[in-house]
Amino acid sequence: MNVALILAGGVGQRVGLHIPKQFLEVRGKPILAYTLSVFQNHPDIDKICVVCVDGWEQEVESYVERFGITKLIKIIKGGDSNMMSIRNGVYGIGDIADKNDIVVVHDGVRPLIDGSIITDCIEKCKEFGNGCASIPLQETIVRTEDRISGKVNIDRSEVMRVQTPQAYRFDDIYGLYSEAERVGITDSVYVNTLKMELGGTIYFSKGSSFNLKITTRDDLEMFDLLLNRTGRN
């Protein structure tokens, strides 16, 4: 079984609006609902669970009927940080996931993900034990200590830009967060960062420049423009 764990626990302060950004409506549909629709329509996704910011659970529940998100089986309360939200989600699906099931973790505010990215992420997980959507960097990368200046160029062929989704077998991802609690790691942003902090290796799967994470107002405008290109509704 493949379970999508969709992260919708943030408050979206950088967008600067009155509601969490994942619930902002663009062309009459919440950003989170665009994301959930992709996983709903993917043949390899069996169940969807959402990690939700406190107080917005009924909004997410309404998507079952409003947008046909019938694979949604559980809404889990988010934590005080991204790491704690993912941990809550992983622990929260312990009653439905077997050790060899694949958990596909994805940002609810990456609504332009397409099915081929999900497919490749799952396939890489089956082959290597995990899969992390990634793309090469095209821009010049400069190291800086103060965000004002820099004088060290980083060879872009040596780095990858990692996105979500990130897929792990349930026993592995559960073990990562259990071990993090044991050793006192509390601020690892994503599963891939925690995996590396604990000495593991991550494996790159297909990503896309269109797999935009909506963080700022500029990202919102870009999303609206890209909806035309992708034909999403």
Side-chain angles (χ1 to χ4, degrees):
M1 179 175 70
N2 301 320
V3 181
L5 187 63
I6 308 300
L7 307 177
V11 296
Q13 292 177 336
R14 281 176 284 184
V15 176
L17 297 175
H18 62 289
I19 67 172
K21 59 190 174 185
Q22 58 269 33
F23 300 110
L24 291 172
E25 292 201 0
V26 178
R27 303 188 185 189
K29 186 174 182 177
I31 291 169
L32 177 60
Y34 282 101
T35 304
L36 293 175
S37 292
V38 180
F39 285 87
Q40 171 69 31
N41 294 328
H42 197 287
D44 293 336
I45 297 298
D46 300 296
K47 297 179 180 180
I48 298 172
C49 299
V50 173
V51 180
C52 184
V53 62
D54 190 29
W56 289 83
E57 294 87 352
Q58 287 188 338
E59 170 73 10
V60 177
E61 287 175 1
S62 75
Y63 297 169
V64 175
E65 292 189 6
R66 289 175 62 192
F67 305 108
I69 311 300
T70 58
K71 293 179 182 178
L72 177 63
I73 62 161
K74 183 172 283 195
I75 299 172
I76 301 162
K77 184 178 179 180
D80 295 332
S81 66
N82 207 53
M83 179 174 177
M84 293 301 104
S85 288
I86 299 173
R87 183 204 65 180
N88 288 358
V90 170
Y91 289 0
I93 63 173
D95 61 335
I96 64 169
D98 293 329
K99 65 177 184 177
N100 289 320
D101 289 341
I102 292 176
V103 182
V104 184
V105 181
H106 186 64
D107 295 312
V109 289
R110 289 187 188 268
L112 290 173
I113 182 175
D114 66 48
S116 65
I117 293 175
I118 298 171
T119 297
D120 195 56
C121 191
I122 292 171
E123 289 304 312
K124 290 298 189 297
C125 182
K126 289 178 179 178
E127 183 176 1
F128 299 112
N130 65 70
C132 301
S134 310
I135 58 174
L137 283 168
Q138 305 300 329
E139 298 87 356
T140 299
I141 310 299
V142 179
R143 187 183 304 279
T144 180
E145 297 180 358
D146 56 11
R147 295 187 178 271
I148 298 173
S149 63
K151 58 183 180 181
V152 178
N153 179 62
I154 299 174
D155 186 347
R156 63 190 179 191
S157 68
E158 296 180 353
V159 293
M160 290 287 281
R161 178 180 162 195
V162 179
Q163 309 172 328
T164 64
Q166 299 169 8
Y168 291 79
R169 296 198 182 278
F170 178 71
D171 60 343
D172 186 16
I173 194 171
Y174 190 95
L176 288 174
Y177 284 90
S178 297
E179 180 66 8
E181 281 195 87
R182 189 186 71 80
V183 301
I185 298 175
T186 60
D187 59 354
S188 199
V189 181
Y190 280 109
V191 190
N192 67 309
T193 57
L194 181 58
K195 179 77 170 179
M196 291 184 289
E197 283 186 67
L198 291 172
T201 299
I202 65 169
Y203 293 88
F204 305 129
S205 60
K206 177 183 177 181
S208 171
S209 296
F210 292 113
N211 189 20
L212 173 73
K213 183 178 181 181
I214 298 175
T215 304
T216 66
R217 287 179 179 267
D218 286 347
D219 297 330
L220 274 173
E221 292 182 19
M222 183 65 71
F223 172 52
D224 189 42
L225 291 170
L226 288 172
L227 279 174
N228 287 327
R229 180 185 177 95
T230 60
R232 297 285 177 88
N233 53 45

